[in-house]
């Protein structure tokens, strides 16, 4: 089995879409679909649930994804040790992250990275999405980890993963003993929510509206960690990123309740300033987070930006001539 196919499978699983995975990989949708079908045929199991939108993983797919991520991580670590056997990284890397992403992913990533590169110190600066964007633009951090990332004239973006959103409640909530509820049962209930101005809150509201669910938002917060604390303390109910409640669901203080009408993911991405050059340590940390080489994607984004600038300059000259 080609290593490239395993990476494609992870991208399809993260993006929940063949077309998005194809775009990120520089391939056609048909090529990606054929590669995944070939993978499924070779191992004799269906991995992708193609009946849902966005795509989901089968039970076998979930198990396979977990194992494949370990294989890719181990291979990347081996590759890095060989590549940099004569080069010892030193210095520091500062990363900006929204609270839920930083708290969910950076502690483990930092531990692994600093074990691999003991002479590099990793620091995480937390803030809202707007704050992280500003930190990247100001050069206070080398790159940022945000949800719903956007490419702009000054910012580049590398898609990372699509994180499922889950309906959760405290262990004392009336729904805590339920494994599944219908949309009609949720209507009229009080919920803890994100602040209205956040893109994630807007996405949640749209999802609830499509499902015909009308709720009463009793408290609003600008980050998932505060939401989780409020749900625990107030016998609450809310929709939060899956990774933000892993510890709480494991110890039983938060319960996940399935609702077939609520199918929502939030895209996560790495943003960076187009005009700057990332340090080697930052690129290696980004590669560790992505589970794939970051540098080729930085080059691709940079080349695309240059092409856009040339295109705009040509348009400006054309307008000038006409004028």
């Amino acid at each position: 089995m080609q290593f490239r196919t395993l990476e494609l499978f992870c991208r399809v699983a993260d993006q929940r879409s063949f077309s998005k995975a194809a775009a990120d990989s520089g391939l056609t949708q048909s090529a990606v679909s054929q590669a995944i079908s070939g993978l499924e045929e070779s191992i004799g199991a269906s991995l992708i649930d193609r009946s849902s939108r966005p795509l989901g993983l089968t039970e076998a797919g979930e198990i396979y994804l977990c194992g494949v991520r370990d294989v890719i991580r181990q291979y990347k670590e081996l590759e890095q040790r060989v590549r940099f056997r004569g080069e010892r990284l030193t210095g520091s890397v500062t990363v900006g992250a929204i609270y839920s992403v930083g708290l969910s992913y950076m502690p483990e990533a930092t531990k692994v990275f600093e074990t691999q590169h003991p002479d590099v110190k990793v620091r995480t600066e937390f803030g809202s999405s707007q704050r992280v964007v500003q930190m990247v633009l100001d050069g206070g951090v080398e790159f940022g980890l945000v949800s719903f990332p956007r490419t702009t004239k000054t910012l580049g973006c590398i898609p990372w993963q699509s994180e499922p959103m889950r309906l959760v409640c405290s262990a004392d909530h009336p729904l805590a003993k339920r494994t599944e509820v219908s949309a009609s049962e949720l209507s009229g209930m009080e919920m803890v929510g994100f602040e209205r101005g956040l893109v994630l809150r807007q996405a949640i509201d749209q999802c609830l509206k499509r499902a015909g669910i009308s709720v009463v938002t009793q408290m609003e917060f600008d980050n998932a960690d505060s939401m989780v604390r409020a749900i625990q303390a107030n016998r609450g109910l809310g929709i939060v990123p899956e990774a933000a409640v892993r510890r709480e669901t494991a110890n039983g203080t938060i319960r996940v309740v399935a609702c077939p009408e609520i199918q929502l993911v939030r895209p996560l991405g790495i943003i960076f300033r187009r005009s700057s050059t990332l340090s080697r340590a930052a690129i290696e940390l980004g590669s560790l987070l992505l589970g794939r080489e970051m540098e080729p994607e930085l080059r691709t984004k940079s080349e695309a930006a240059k092409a856009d600038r040339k295109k705009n300059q040509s348009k400006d000259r054309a307008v000038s001539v006409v004028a």
Side-chain angles (χ1 to χ4, degrees), residues 13-59:
D14 290 340
Q15 298 290 342
R16 308 260 169 171
S17 166
F18 284 119
S19 60
K20 291 180 180 179
D24 290 346
S25 307
L27 301 171
T28 65
Q29 181 174 339
S30 176
V32 173
S33 180
Q34 289 177 28
I36 300 304
S37 294
L39 174 62
E40 292 175 316
E41 184 177 348
S42 69
I43 64 175
S46 176
L47 304 175
I48 305 293
D49 180 4
R50 295 167 173 79
S51 65
S52 62
R53 288 296 182 274
L55 297 175
L57 294 179
T58 63
E59 183 178 353

Side-chain angles (χ1 to χ4, degrees), residues 88-93 110 113-115 117-122 281-282:
R88 194 175 181 90
L89 294 181
T90 60
S92 63
V93 181
T110 298
F113 186 80
E114 291 184 344
T115 299
H117 306 286
D119 294 331
V120 180
K121 183 65 177 177
V122 178

Side-chain angles (χ1 to χ4, degrees), residues 261-313:
E261 292 86 354
I262 299 178
Q263 299 292 330
L264 181 65
V265 297
R266 69 165 182 172
L268 304 180
I270 295 178
I271 58 172
F272 57 93
R273 189 171 52 168
R274 290 184 184 274
S275 60
S276 65
T277 300
L278 297 186
S279 67
R280 170 53 57 185
I283 291 174
E284 292 306 314
L285 176 58
S287 298
L288 175 66
L289 287 165
L290 290 168
R292 59 184 188 270
E293 289 296 325
M294 183 183 192
E295 193 165 25
E297 298 195 45
L298 287 170
R299 288 200 299 267
T300 300
K301 303 295 181 182
S302 177
E303 290 167 0
K306 290 179 181 178
D308 287 341
R309 285 197 293 270
K310 288 182 179 180
K311 185 176 181 181
N312 291 331
Q313 288 170 359

Side-chain angles (χ1 to χ4, degrees), residues 159-311:
W160 179 13
Q161 58 180 297
S162 293
E163 187 176 56
M165 301 292 294
R166 301 301 185 197
L167 176 68
V168 303
C169 65
S170 74
D172 298 323
H173 192 276
L175 295 180
K177 295 182 180 180
R178 302 280 299 278
T179 57
E180 183 174 311
V181 295
S182 64
S184 60
E185 291 179 279
L186 293 177
S187 289
M189 282 196 171
E190 292 186 343
M191 293 184 71
V192 177
F194 288 97
E195 288 184 352
R196 294 181 184 276
L198 298 180
V199 177
L200 182 54
R201 168 61 184 274
Q202 296 166 10
I204 292 173
D205 286 348
Q206 291 173 3
C207 178
L208 293 175
K209 184 176 180 180
R210 287 194 301 269
I213 302 172
S214 176
V215 299
V216 178
T217 304
Q218 59 178 158
M219 289 182 281
E220 297 183 358
F221 297 92
D222 66 354
N223 66 87
D225 188 57
S226 295
M227 276 187 64
V228 173
R229 303 286 83 78
I231 289 171
Q232 289 177 308
N234 297 277
R235 302 178 65 206
L237 178 73
I239 299 175
V240 299
E242 182 179 70
V245 289
R246 283 175 182 161
R247 182 178 63 251
E248 290 77 10
T249 54
N251 63 30
T253 58
I254 289 287
R255 307 290 171 81
V256 176
V257 184
C259 179
E261 292 86 354
I262 299 178
Q263 299 292 330
L264 181 65
V265 297
R266 69 165 182 172
L268 304 180
I270 295 178
I271 58 172
F272 57 93
R273 189 171 52 168
R274 290 184 184 274
S275 60
S276 65
T277 300
L278 297 186
S279 67
R280 170 53 57 185
I283 291 174
E284 292 306 314
L285 176 58
S287 298
L288 175 66
L289 287 165
L290 290 168
R292 59 184 188 270
E293 289 296 325
M294 183 183 192
E295 193 165 25
E297 298 195 45
L298 287 170
R299 288 200 299 267
T300 300
K301 303 295 181 182
S302 177
E303 290 167 0
K306 290 179 181 178
D308 287 341
R309 285 197 293 270
K310 288 182 179 180
K311 185 176 181 181

